[in-house]
Amino acid sequence: MRLDELTDMANTTHNVAGTVAKVSTYGGSAGAVLFGLTANDIAAYSGVAIGLMGIGITLFYKRREDRRSAQRHAAEMARLKRETDHHV
């Protein structure tokens, strides 16, 4: 094998080892958090997460409804203006 091939293999091995170390660290941390929680803790956190998602979804669709309502209002005002201008 040539020296540059060996260097490439060493770099690849180093990168893979770094990735494996990072994944195992995060996985171990997540496992410690998850397995340290009781069923009541998990239920409480899940309830909070579901509640926050519900608020986010409601706000998203409310903004869309307000935008459509404003467009309908603008169209109605334009129609009324045309009718008023036509009768004058």
Side-chain angles (χ1 to χ4, degrees):
M1 293 187 120
R2 295 183 3 213
L3 182 60
D4 53 336
E5 290 175 345
L6 289 174
T7 303
D8 288 342
M9 285 174 46
N11 287 336
T12 301
T13 303
H14 177 71
N15 291 339
V16 168
T19 303
V20 168
K22 187 188 316 181
V23 168
S24 63
T25 300
Y26 291 138
S29 298
V33 169
L34 287 177
F35 296 120
L37 298 176
T38 65
N40 289 335
D41 293 336
I42 293 172
Y45 293 137
S46 297
V48 168
I50 290 170
L52 290 174
M53 285 189 306
I55 289 171
I57 290 169
T58 300
L59 290 174
F60 174 76
Y61 282 107
K62 198 63 166 162
R63 274 183 81 195
R64 288 179 62 179
E65 180 184 344
D66 289 345
R67 193 175 314 139
R68 285 191 307 263
S69 178
Q71 290 171 348
R72 279 194 300 269
H73 176 71
E76 180 68 14
M77 294 304 289
R79 184 187 66 79
L80 290 172
K81 182 168 175 35
R82 281 192 309 271
E83 287 179 6
T84 305
D85 290 345
H86 179 23
H87 291 309
V88 173

